[in-house]
Every structure is written in structure tokens, then in C-alpha cells.
Amino acid sequence: MGVGRNVISAALGLVVLLGAGGVLAQSGAPSEGDISRSLMPKSRGLPTLGDLPPAPANPAIAPAATGPAPAHVGHARRAAAVVASQPADAHPSATLRTIQFEFGSAQLTAGSIGTLKNLGNALNHELAAQAHFVIEGHTDAYGEQGYNEQLSAARAEAVKDYLVKEMGVAEGRLQAVGKGSTAPVPGTSPYSALNRRVVVVNTEG
């Protein structure tokens, strides 16, 4: 009984954190490596003889349409923190649910700093050769469309500003875009909390 209650409490806590725009508290920020792998181009270097075996599944990265994966082993708790959203013909992208903002504003929360630092380090290290990234702000469909677009743009700009000013990422590599509620997560209601998110896209990948 006690174990069941703990599982239910943890799940409810996860839902509340997702509603605030991300998952950081118990789930932990996605690592620099997790972010780099999500945003790395699909093919690199010269062709090789034969096909390489697929990389082992990373429990920290899951298709966005399925929602956060259950956190039942090791670092799988980061599953809701980095969500890859990459159809076969799409640019590499990652939804970072641990980037959160104060309610109704573009003020980053203190709990977002770990993810922002790891994102900045990934851009400066493993992804240094990649020339251009778009930072997308997204909202759910509650509220007036124009307001949501302005808020999402301001939040994307806040992420860009942090990466440039605090992490030293070249400003010319980053573009902030506000999507408002125009691009909900596939398979979710436009009003779902999962739609309040920041997505980073490698447009060169």
C-alpha cells in the first residue's frame, strides 16, 4: 500500500511540474550528452561499408507524441525532460520540458538553470560545428491567441538571451521564435499542459 501511494504521489507531482512548463525537481535536468544526441545531424562524415547497428535506445529521449516515459529505472527519470520530436524528414529537435517560466511571464525559474547550462555546453562543445538553431516557444490554447504568441516569443527570447549572455553561445547561431498555440504536440488536446514547452531545432541537421 505504501509503495502504491508513493508511486501515485510521484506521478501527480510529475503532472503538476509538467503543467508549470517542464520537469526538473525529482526528475533532474537532461545532461549535455542527452541534448547533444537529440540535436546531432542524422548522418555525419563519409559513407561506410554496410550499415552500422542502431544506437541503443536512450531512456532520456522519447517521441513527443507518446508523452513522458515512465521513470522506473536509473536515469530514465529524465525521459520527460528531453523529448525528441523527429519525423524521418524533419530537422533534429528536442523538447526541453525542464525549462520553466514564472506564471504568465518570460522570467526563467531558478530550476531551469541546470538545463540551460547543459544546453549551452552542448551548443559550445559537441554541437559547435552546427551553425544555426531555432529556439521555439510554445503555449497551450488557453487565452487569447495574440497574447500567447507574444508570450511564447518572449520566452524563446529569454532562453536565447541566457545562452548568449551567460553561456557565450554566438548570437548569430540562435533564432528565437514564438509559436503560440499553433503547433500542439501530436496526439494531445490543444489545451494540454504538454503544449507549454521550449523546442530547440537544429536547422542545419
Side-chain angles (χ1 to χ4, degrees), residues 83-174:
V83 183
S85 177
Q86 301 175 22
D89 59 346
H91 294 295
S93 65
T95 298
L96 301 174
R97 300 201 182 282
T98 47
I99 296 179
Q100 305 176 56
F101 303 87
E102 300 295 343
F103 179 76
S105 83
Q107 178 66 46
L108 289 158
T109 64
S112 303
I113 301 305
T115 299
L116 289 165
K117 286 183 175 179
N118 288 343
L119 174 58
N121 286 331
L123 294 173
N124 287 332
H125 300 149
E126 293 95 331
L127 299 167
Q130 304 301 302
H132 189 251
F133 294 85
V134 173
I135 299 167
E136 299 176 349
H138 295 262
T139 69
D140 58 35
Y142 287 107
E144 197 270 327
Q145 182 177 345
Y147 172 79
N148 285 337
E149 289 176 358
Q150 292 176 4
L151 179 61
S152 64
R155 288 178 169 179
E157 196 66 43
V159 172
K160 175 183 174 180
D161 285 348
Y162 186 94
L163 294 172
V164 171
K165 295 174 181 175
E166 303 297 330
M167 300 304 298
V169 178
E171 185 173 5
R173 296 175 66 202
L174 305 176

Side-chain angles (χ1 to χ4, degrees), residues 21 35-36 40 46 49 52 56-57 60-61 66 72 74 76 93 97 100 157 164 177:
I35 295 170
S36 296
M40 197 66 73
L46 297 173
L49 293 174
L52 292 174
I61 302 171
T66 65
H72 61 280
S93 65
R97 300 201 182 282
Q100 305 176 56
E157 196 66 43
V164 171
V177 174

Side-chain angles (χ1 to χ4, degrees), residues 30-55:
S31 72
E32 178 181 337
D34 293 329
I35 295 170
S36 296
R37 283 186 287 275
S38 295
L39 293 173
M40 197 66 73
K42 297 181 181 68
S43 60
R44 304 173 64 198
L46 297 173
T48 58
L49 293 174
D51 294 325
L52 292 174

Side-chain angles (χ1 to χ4, degrees), residues 5 7-8 38 137 150 172:
R5 274 200 206 93
V7 171
I8 292 171
S38 295
Q150 292 176 4

